[in-house]
Amino acid sequence: MTYTIEKIATLIGARRYGHTDATIGWLLTDSRSLSFPEQTLFFALRTQRNDGHKYIEDLYHRGVRNFVVESASLAPSPSPAAEGSITPKGASPSWGMLDGANFLVVPSPLAALQRLAERHRDEFNIPVVGITGSNGKTWVKEWLYQLLRLSPKIGGAVTRSPRSYNSQIGVPLSVWLLNEQSRLGLFEAGISQPGEMLALHDIIQPTIGVFTSLGAAHQENFRSMDEKCMEKLQLFRDAKVIVYPSDNDCVSRCMRRSDFKGERIGWSRFSQTAPMYVTVSHPDSQPSSTIQERRSHITYTYKGMEGSYDIPFTSEAAIENSITCAATALYLGLTPEELAERMCRLEPIAMRLEVKEGQHGLTLINDAYNNDLQSLDIALDFMNRRAEAPSDNPNRERAKKALILSDIYQSGELPQQLYTQVAELARKRGIDHFIGIGPEISAQAAVITARMPASFFNDVEQFLHSSTFRSLHDEVVLLKGARKFGFEHISEQLEQKVHETILEVDLNAVVNNLNHYRSLMKPGTKLVCMIKADAYGAGAIEIAKTLQDQRVDYLAVATADEGADLRRAGITQNIIVMNPEMSCFKTLFDYDLEPEVYSFRLMDALIRAARAQGITGWPVHIKLDTGMHRLGFDCNVEELIARLTSQQAITPRSVFSHFVGSDSNDFDAFSKHQFELFDHASQQLQNAFSHKILRHIDNSAGIEHFPERQLDMCRLGIGLYGVEPYEANANSTLQCVSTLKTTILQIRNVQKDETVGYSRKGVLTRNSRIAAIPIGYADGLDRHLGNRHGYCIVNGQKAEYVGNICMDVALIDVTDIDCEEGDQVEIFGKQLPVTVLSHILQTIPYEVLTSVSNRVKRIYFQD
């Protein structure tokens, strides 16, 4: 569905500058995600950390001609250009001279985006489900889609939020996806602050409200759970019905206080008088059952109507989400028979893009989350950011990109129309080779091959036996397929073969932790993120790409070789080398790396090397020793200033020091002394130069502990990876980034008084079930955890390590745990924080994280 630029200007109440006709079909808030410039309207959003107005000229040169800008950013053009020329304050005057561009001027581009989505929503008189809650929103949305997409009562396409688009920006972008084929809308709404839900209500305008759960997420911004619950209920103020968990005391209490006038469908596992009463059993969940066989049986009474269904899941979260979906689907007209038939075929929700290392130089991006045009666009955008040009290969602009795509179902569009859009999207995103799998997409081969090289196959088996499959090498490959096609077989064939121990890295958690610290920082303060030691074991390249996407100011590594590896992987962000060696100067210059300088010996050698290559003004970062007594110049900086100002080969870009104990209040007096030394010395250095020298001393703990000492820049290290650095912060909201997992290889029954493992150290005091897991000290599992000094997590329960930990295998006691061979084991992660292991080992989390060996496969995912 499209709008003229004139119509949009009217809908959002904008002053329009420029008179070029345009038709808008795509809304853009992130300049990196551009697909169809000629039909794109860019909203120049302003945040504490960034300003979208900075990207207007670049977008113009990439083909965008339509912009929503903030009136506060505008000034009269200094040149006598066309009437109505405008220029943002502090920007290039040429911005107001962009021929053929339309500028819609509003007080707030974000409010304008939300207003446009609201007016777009007004065009549709269809059922719209608004979903909110602390957990389960995406799960419920996707299961409702699976249950309702084939319903004749819906009679058309179901439009839903892409992934977890539930924020103040994500919701309007989701609602914009409603089109002429839409017959039902499913939209998530998430909040983190009081007062946010009203805007989302006006955009979604739900006719049906779904409240999934209430938990502790974002509780730090609310005075009470009741306040947060009442804020969430604002979404449903005009809905016809609410589905909610009446067993939750807080939700029920707030529902009683609410003035909601519509129908209330509270579901309960305890009250038989509830509108929907349910009971749950697990008929097949015996110890002998495999994971695939385990299921839950739910019986219910819904408004006096009895029914039942099975789901192929046993977790409490899955059961509760299924009940929420059942109540909603029954209200929308699904019969008990239809519900039972579809519930048993529910598919798991893989709410993430996974990045894996493949064979033959391949990088695999596996997206089995959903398969439609919107999710394809998101996945292709993610792919583009993983295919940057290697800086040491000028003859290759970027990595080759291949898309493997299956038939797309239930789009509501004619096949030729749908696959024309698919082909255009792939072409705009720079796909080099298109591989289509399925009869429907193969039938549209002519549409796709007219735009790019393409190959087509009826099914996965045919593709796996083809020369096309055998020819894949040195490419970034996106796998995007409907579940029925079995794309996991492609992934299995292309993945690099390693053992079953993996380190899962949650890129969303990295971004959330980054934004948490940004929220604590003063506007304008820059940020350098530490990715030394292979990003604390998480994998420097993928972490660097994620941080570069988030536009951090600097990345920091330990050695020049680490920086060179990042450059070869396409990282263009400024990189600081914290521990440069005398032998690395050529690498610094060749790969545009900025060294820390901590001694006169190092400084003199660097100056000689720069002069030898005719280099002037190379940026360096001066380190001062204020009490760590590790590396750094003394704080008596007169000689340092004299020698720096007497040459032109290098120039200080920043000056910094390290707190000894910012993580503890015990060292506050010494931290104050350190800061005073640094403040005086760094000011002296700044006074000796006319250009701005960035001053920084706060690390992860210091950002929160000493906000008044944030200065020009802060350094974010362990906090970025989800480990709370400040011991006084008992209510950390940081998210776990790295989860070390493995699987049970074998379980055997061992009798009392027998021993297990080397040197007969694992003596058993009872008849036991002992499981072998494929992880050992060569993978980074510390031997000191053996002999019941430590434990891992199996199916939510503690399993102690028995006997000595071997090089490649460890043994665990699972006597009291319902588990089978093939079940997953967590070594550390969300269920077992890395700080627990570091405490047992009497060390620090840094050592545990960085000890995970390179033979452990890293898998990256993003919601």
Side-chain angles (χ1 to χ4, degrees):
M1 192 166 178
T2 60
Y3 292 83
T4 64
I5 191 68
E6 183 179 9
K7 176 69 171 176
I8 288 178
T10 301
L11 291 176
I12 65 176
R15 287 185 292 125
R16 180 182 174 191
Y17 293 81
H19 302 284
T20 303
D21 292 337
T23 300
I24 301 301
W26 297 77
L27 306 184
L28 182 69
T29 60
D30 187 332
S31 63
R32 299 162 297 178
S33 301
L34 181 64
S35 294
F36 294 92
E38 61 279 355
Q39 282 198 317
T40 289
L41 177 62
F42 176 68
F43 288 78
L45 303 184
R46 192 190 300 275
T47 67
Q48 279 193 334
R49 296 292 157 188
N50 211 348
D51 185 353
H53 297 85
K54 295 189 301 185
Y55 306 101
I56 287 176
E57 253 188 283
D58 174 65
L59 286 169
Y60 178 86
H61 292 303
R62 293 163 65 190
V64 179
R65 293 295 181 268
N66 301 286
F67 306 91
V68 177
V69 297
E70 184 178 320
S71 54
S73 71
L74 303 179
S77 174
S79 61
E83 182 181 354
S85 291
I86 52 176
T87 302
K89 292 177 182 176
S92 166
S94 63
W95 190 79
M97 306 282 291
L98 302 179
D99 292 338
N102 292 308
F103 295 97
L104 305 186
V105 183
V106 296
S108 165
L110 175 59
L113 172 66
Q114 295 174 339
R115 174 71 173 173
L116 179 58
E118 182 182 337
R119 298 282 68 82
H120 180 64
R121 167 67 180 89
D122 290 341
E123 298 293 317
F124 298 89
N125 184 23
I126 61 174
V128 170
V129 181
I131 307 166
T132 194
S134 299
N135 302 104
K137 295 185 292 293
T138 302
W139 206 339
V140 166
K141 177 199 68 185
E142 289 301 317
W143 275 1
L144 282 174
Y145 174 74
Q146 292 180 31
L147 292 171
L148 297 170
R149 64 186 177 186
L150 300 177
S151 174
K153 294 182 176 63
I154 301 300
V158 177
T159 298
R160 68 202 194 279
S161 307
R163 301 193 174 274
S164 298
Y165 275 35
N166 57 34
S167 67
Q168 299 290 308
I169 298 172
V171 168
L173 294 177
S174 298
V175 171
W176 180 256
L177 300 176
L178 289 169
N179 56 47
E180 294 88 343
Q181 288 78 39
S182 301
R183 294 297 178 269
L184 173 68
L186 302 172
F187 299 113
E188 299 179 42
I191 58 167
S192 60
Q193 301 280 349
E196 289 185 333
M197 189 59 88
L198 190 57
L200 303 187
H201 161 271
D202 293 345
I203 299 166
I204 298 173
Q205 302 170 41
T207 59
I208 301 162
V210 173
F211 200 124
T212 59
S213 66
L214 187 67
H218 302 298
Q219 187 58 48
E220 68 275 8
N221 298 322
F222 294 90
R223 290 173 295 181
S224 67
M225 291 287 281
D226 281 37
E227 182 188 38
K228 182 169 66 176
C229 183
M230 293 301 291
E231 175 72 18
K232 290 181 180 292
L233 288 174
Q234 287 290 312
L235 179 63
F236 311 130
R237 56 191 303 176
D238 300 313
K240 297 178 181 178
V241 63
I242 296 179
V243 175
Y244 66 97
S246 62
D247 290 339
N248 185 292
D249 291 339
C250 183
V251 174
S252 290
R253 183 168 59 252
C254 291
M255 284 296 297
R256 289 193 297 270
R257 290 170 51 197
S258 169
D259 59 358
F260 177 70
K261 301 297 192 298
E263 182 179 354
R264 304 180 181 215
I265 303 178
W267 62 263
S268 173
R269 296 169 69 172
F270 304 111
S271 173
Q272 297 187 29
T273 61
M276 185 167 181
Y277 170 63
V278 296
T279 59
V280 180
S281 61
H282 304 284
D284 296 323
S285 297
Q286 302 301 319
S288 60
S289 306
T290 66
I291 292 295
Q292 290 74 20
E293 292 172 340
R294 297 175 190 173
R295 61 189 175 97
S296 301
H297 181 70
I298 292 93
T299 60
Y300 62 85
T301 303
Y302 173 79
K303 299 181 181 178
M305 177 176 60
E306 294 185 352
S308 66
Y309 62 85
D310 288 351
I311 57 170
F313 309 96
T314 58
S315 71
E316 277 299 307
I319 291 167
E320 292 187 1
N321 289 331
S322 81
I323 297 168
T324 299
C325 291
T328 308
L330 290 168
Y331 175 82
L332 282 167
L334 223 61
T335 67
E337 293 76 22
E338 290 171 329
L339 182 68
E341 188 270 332
R342 295 177 191 181
M343 278 286 189
C344 67
R345 294 189 286 110
L346 286 179
E347 297 174 351
I349 306 302
M351 296 180 290
R352 62 200 200 183
L353 290 157
E354 287 189 339
V355 183
K356 303 179 181 181
E357 186 177 352
Q359 301 182 59
H360 312 301
L362 297 176
T363 297
L364 305 180
I365 302 175
N366 190 11
D367 182 16
Y369 179 68
N370 47 35
N371 193 26
D372 54 37
L373 199 62
Q374 287 73 40
S375 68
L376 175 61
D377 186 34
I378 293 170
L380 287 170
D381 180 41
F382 181 85
M383 181 188 199
N384 271 354
R385 303 182 197 188
R386 263 68 193 162
E388 299 289 344
S391 61
D392 62 341
N393 188 348
N395 297 318
R396 179 174 157 197
E397 294 185 356
R398 55 169 175 77
K400 291 169 58 181
K401 294 183 289 187
L403 168 63
I404 305 178
L405 181 71
S406 80
D407 289 350
I408 297 176
Y409 295 122
Q410 290 88 41
S411 70
E413 299 185 46
L414 295 174
Q416 184 173 358
Q417 180 184 6
L418 170 65
Y419 290 106
T420 297
Q421 293 181 70
V422 167
E424 272 300 294
L425 187 59
R427 183 182 69 82
K428 293 283 188 178
R429 291 295 192 186
I431 293 298
D432 298 288
H433 187 194
F434 188 106
I435 299 170
I437 297 180
E440 188 175 287
I441 198 170
S442 297
Q444 301 299 322
V447 168
I448 298 169
T449 54
R451 291 166 171 82
M452 71 195 71
S455 307
F456 298 90
F457 304 90
N458 287 326
D459 53 37
V460 165
E461 191 67 23
Q462 184 184 18
F463 169 60
L464 292 176
H465 288 89
S466 70
S467 59
T468 301
F469 173 78
R470 293 190 294 273
S471 68
L472 290 173
H473 63 86
D474 298 311
E475 298 176 61
V476 180
V477 179
L478 172 61
L479 299 171
K480 194 94 173 72
R483 192 170 298 276
K484 67 168 287 186
F485 283 90
F487 269 33
E488 64 272 13
H489 299 300
I490 302 176
S491 180
E492 289 168 2
Q493 292 293 319
L494 293 178
E495 282 181 37
Q496 192 174 72
K497 297 299 185 288
V498 294
H499 68 98
E500 296 178 79
T501 298
I502 61 171
L503 185 74
E504 282 192 348
V505 180
D506 185 343
L507 298 179
N508 274 90
V510 173
V511 174
N512 288 333
N513 295 338
L514 172 68
N515 288 335
H516 166 76
Y517 281 99
R518 278 177 162 169
S519 72
L520 300 174
M521 292 166 58
K522 300 172 185 176
T525 303
K526 297 182 182 296
L527 189 64
V528 53
C529 289
M530 314 302 293
I531 54 171
K532 59 184 180 178
D534 203 24
Y536 293 50
I541 290 174
E542 282 299 325
I543 298 297
K545 288 180 177 179
T546 299
L547 295 173
Q548 182 167 273
D549 280 352
Q550 298 301 313
R551 297 189 174 102
V552 300
D553 301 283
Y554 273 94
L555 303 173
V557 296
T559 68
D561 286 342
E562 289 179 339
D565 288 342
L566 294 180
R567 290 284 187 246
R568 284 191 285 266
I571 299 301
T572 58
Q573 207 70 18
N574 294 72
I575 298 175
I576 301 174
V577 178
M578 304 297 286
N579 300 110
E581 299 171 338
M582 296 291 185
S583 60
C584 77
F585 297 150
K586 186 176 187 305
T587 303
L588 294 176
F589 300 144
D590 287 349
Y591 289 96
D592 193 22
L593 306 174
E594 302 177 20
E596 167 190 312
V597 175
Y598 52 81
S599 72
F600 289 117
R601 174 173 173 266
L602 174 63
M603 185 173 75
D604 291 343
L606 180 62
I607 290 170
R608 287 194 299 272
R611 284 172 173 167
Q613 296 199 32
I615 291 171
T616 60
W618 195 264
V620 299
H621 301 264
I622 304 297
K623 185 171 186 179
L624 302 179
D625 178 18
T626 57
M628 178 77 77
H629 300 324
R630 186 173 60 183
L631 294 171
F633 292 99
D634 290 338
C635 287
N636 185 355
V637 293
E638 285 80 3
E639 182 181 356
L640 173 63
I641 291 171
R643 292 169 71 165
L644 282 171
T645 54
S646 65
Q647 54 81 50
Q648 295 182 334
I650 64 173
T651 189
R653 180 67 184 101
S654 83
V655 57
F656 70 103
S657 189
H658 278 283
F659 281 124
V660 170
S662 60
D663 56 338
S664 172
N665 295 337
D666 295 343
F667 305 109
D668 281 0
F670 191 74
S671 295
K672 180 175 182 292
H673 170 68
Q674 281 191 278
F675 180 75
E676 289 171 348
L677 287 175
F678 175 74
D679 189 38
H680 178 71
S682 61
Q683 289 283 13
Q684 283 184 280
L685 183 65
Q686 176 63 85
N687 292 338
F689 290 87
S690 59
H691 70 274
K692 175 68 175 178
I693 299 175
L694 301 173
R695 300 193 303 149
H696 51 110
I697 190 170
D698 268 355
N699 54 6
S700 296
I703 291 171
E704 186 167 7
H705 192 178
F706 306 128
E708 73 281 3
R709 298 168 185 168
Q710 290 176 2
L711 303 179
D712 302 307
M713 188 158 69
C714 298
R715 299 186 304 275
L716 182 57
I718 193 68
L720 181 67
Y721 302 95
V723 178
E724 174 57 56
Y726 181 31
E727 66 178 25
N729 190 355
N731 298 309
S732 176
T733 59
L734 298 178
Q735 297 184 12
C736 173
V737 169
S738 297
T739 300
L740 183 58
K741 293 181 176 181
T742 189
T743 56
I744 295 177
L745 290 179
Q746 185 181 31
I747 297 177
R748 67 170 67 247
N749 295 315
V750 184
Q751 299 301 306
K752 176 183 177 181
D753 297 328
E754 290 285 331
T755 63
V756 296
Y758 282 119
S759 304
R760 304 203 71 188
K761 291 290 183 68
V763 180
L764 302 179
T765 59
R766 60 172 179 167
N767 296 339
S768 304
R769 294 175 77 227
I770 303 299
I773 56 176
I775 184 172
Y777 56 78
D779 303 292
L781 184 63
D782 198 296
R783 291 186 75 249
H784 294 92
L785 294 171
N787 298 304
R788 300 191 185 273
H789 292 128
Y791 60 89
C792 53
I793 300 295
V794 178
N795 292 338
Q797 298 186 60
K798 297 179 180 180
E800 292 183 328
Y801 296 104
V802 185
N804 287 330
I805 290 172
C806 309
M807 180 182 290
D808 310 303
V809 175
L811 300 170
I812 56 176
D813 189 339
V814 294
T815 306
D816 301 317
I817 301 173
D818 178 10
C819 62
E820 294 297 323
E821 293 174 0
D823 281 6
Q824 195 171 86
V825 180
E826 182 176 300
I827 307 302
F828 63 73
K830 291 181 173 65
Q831 300 178 82
L832 179 55
V834 68
T835 50
V836 173
L837 297 191
S838 63
H839 179 74
I840 293 171
L841 294 168
Q842 297 183 334
T843 185
I844 55 177
Y846 302 72
E847 182 177 354
V848 179
L849 289 171
T850 58
S851 293
V852 179
S853 76
N854 288 330
R855 82 174 188 177
V856 173
K857 179 180 181 180
R858 271 71 171 170
I859 294 180
Y860 302 89
F861 62 89
Q862 182 180 60
D863 290 350

